[in-house]
Amino acid sequence: MSKKVVILFGTESGNAEFAAEDIAAEISGRDSEVVDMTDFDVSDFTPENFYIIISSTHGEGELPSGAVPFFEALESDAPDLAGIEYAVFGLGDSSYENYSRGSELISEKLTELGAKRVGEYGRHDADTGTLPNAGAVAWSKDILSAY
């Protein structure tokens, strides 16, 4: 049986949320849920779910405002995430020195707490002038084929 897919997004301008919603629509035959990182309690991580993390990058490589409370809760609560599997899709702009760094910060913290990142690290480059949605959906299909 397939794991439930929980799509957590952290966004500044809404692009990560739109990508998360498009992924959920594309996998509508599976048990899935889209959750804003600001509304997710880090104590709710469970190995019964598979997590897709979608995060933009703000400023010069910082977390988007929508991911800050989630990241701070990971730091302060330091939950044991052993057994948690996740995949990451980062949004950024390669014209900045710290391209896609927001998602990397989250991934590094999850790994530090014992979670395991699986699959290819997905990225969207805003410098291309395209929206991340189609790339995120295609990436998620590859990732979810194993789950």
Side-chain angles (χ1 to χ4, degrees), residues 92-97 99 125-128:
D93 185 326
S94 64
S95 67
Y96 287 82
E97 181 178 341
Y99 168 59
D125 185 358
D127 195 44
T128 64

Side-chain angles (χ1 to χ4, degrees), residues 61-102:
E62 291 93 39
L63 292 166
S65 60
V68 171
F70 174 79
F71 189 85
E72 289 175 347
L74 288 172
E75 285 191 310
S76 64
D77 299 356
D80 179 0
L81 299 183
I84 302 299
E85 293 183 310
Y86 71 97
V88 180
F89 190 85
L91 284 64
D93 185 326
S94 64
S95 67
Y96 287 82
E97 181 178 341
N98 294 308
Y99 168 59
S100 194
R101 184 69 181 133

